[in-house]
Amino acid sequence: EVQLVESGGTLVQPGGSLTLSCAASGFTFGDYWMNWVRQAPGEGPEWVANINQDGTERHYVDSAKGRFTISRDNAENSLYLQMNRLKAEDTALYYCARDPSRGYSYGYEDYWGQGTLVTVSS
Amino acid sequence: IQMTQSPSTLSASVGDRITITCRASQTISGWLAWYQQKAGKAPKLLIYEASSLESGVPSRFSGRGSGTEFTLAISSLQPDDFATYYCQQYKNSPYTFGQGTKLETK
């Protein structure tokens, strides 16, 4: 059974930093593109970033470029999102999600974790 | 690419057939997915490539469309179907979602 378990969300002050983690199990983690998708309270999902199988290709939504870094450790079956210079508008539930492609990214997500909440507030 | 769903809210009854529309601001061919989300849960993939049913999803769900206009239909609503539905384009990064359609009990 595919499982994705996020952790690391917390209350952080504006301008602060935070790293989210996602532990994957039930599939060969290193075979798949992986994503971070966030959802602000009462809003629709927003795709944030993705990373290819060996970590050599990464893409970001404009609002995350220069502030967020997606990375992975295939030996540990883990995905990460390092977030710097956090803003109030980054407040959201952050989901780790798998792209179903074993080749190049399809762009949609077939499995999602339960999310970890990031609140940016003073 | 902007994705616009209509209606924002849809009231229906068990057994009804319903349709939700999603429009893209530019052509996305068939690179569209549909998700169902229930309160406090992660989105669940229903449809990909506009009309392909994800494994395990009931056949009462169907998707159609290409280019800029797409629809999600549920042929006979079941109690478990009352939820919020989102479309997502994956033609170009960033992969954008619609604002959602909340399906509620009439």
Side-chain angles (χ1 to χ4, degrees), chain B residues 10-97:
Chain B
L10 180 56
S11 298
S13 301
V14 172
D16 286 353
R17 175 183 173 85
I18 67 97
T19 300
I20 298 169
T21 298
C22 177
R23 289 185 174 87
S25 60
Q26 63 189 74
T27 182
I28 57 170
S29 299
W31 305 118
L32 185 100
W34 289 98
Y35 300 86
Q36 176 194 68
Q37 187 175 34
K38 297 182 179 178
K41 301 293 187 182
K44 172 188 174 184
L45 177 65
L46 300 175
I47 303 260
Y48 59 96
E49 289 181 23
S51 60
S52 296
L53 199 65
E54 174 70 353
S55 176
V57 174
S59 59
R60 63 181 180 271
F61 291 90
S62 63
R64 297 186 63 178
S66 66
T68 62
E69 187 155 336
F70 301 84
T71 58
L72 172 71
I74 309 175
S75 61
S76 177
L77 276 173
Q78 299 301 302
D80 191 50
D81 299 337
F82 292 94
T84 301
Y85 293 83
Y86 295 98
C87 61
Q88 179 202 23
Q89 69 80 20
Y90 52 97
K91 171 75 164 55
N92 294 327
S93 174
Y95 307 123
T96 42
F97 292 80

Side-chain angles (χ1 to χ4, degrees), chain A:
Chain A
E1 178 192 6
V2 171
Q3 285 200 323
L4 299 167
V5 180
E6 303 92 337
S7 60
T10 189
L11 173 65
V12 61
Q13 291 193 337
S17 298
L18 195 61
T19 298
L20 306 182
S21 300
C22 171
S25 61
F27 66 103
T28 305
F29 180 71
D31 282 356
Y32 293 86
W33 282 73
M34 294 296 297
N35 300 268
W36 287 100
V37 180
R38 67 185 178 184
Q39 189 168 26
E43 302 292 320
E46 179 185 35
W47 175 85
V48 174
N50 68 357
I51 187 168
N52 72 342
Q53 289 87 343
D54 63 4
T56 56
E57 187 171 344
R58 313 171 196 204
H59 302 279
Y60 300 90
V61 68
D62 282 352
S63 60
K65 288 177 183 176
R67 298 190 302 127
F68 293 4
T69 302
I70 187 172
S71 62
R72 65 191 298 162
D73 184 337
N74 289 342
E76 295 292 327
N77 293 330
S78 293
L79 178 72
Y80 304 100
L81 185 68
Q82 181 180 352
M83 302 185 293
N84 298 324
R85 303 198 306 276
L86 282 160
K87 306 174 183 180
E89 50 265 41
D90 296 318
T91 294
L93 189 61
Y94 283 73
Y95 293 103
C96 164
R98 191 185 82 166
D99 185 303
S101 173
R102 291 184 177 178
Y104 200 75
S105 169
Y106 285 152
Y108 64 95
E109 296 78 33
D110 62 348
Y111 287 95
W112 300 59
Q114 84 291 347
T116 187
L117 183 62
V118 173
T119 304
V120 184
S121 175
S122 55

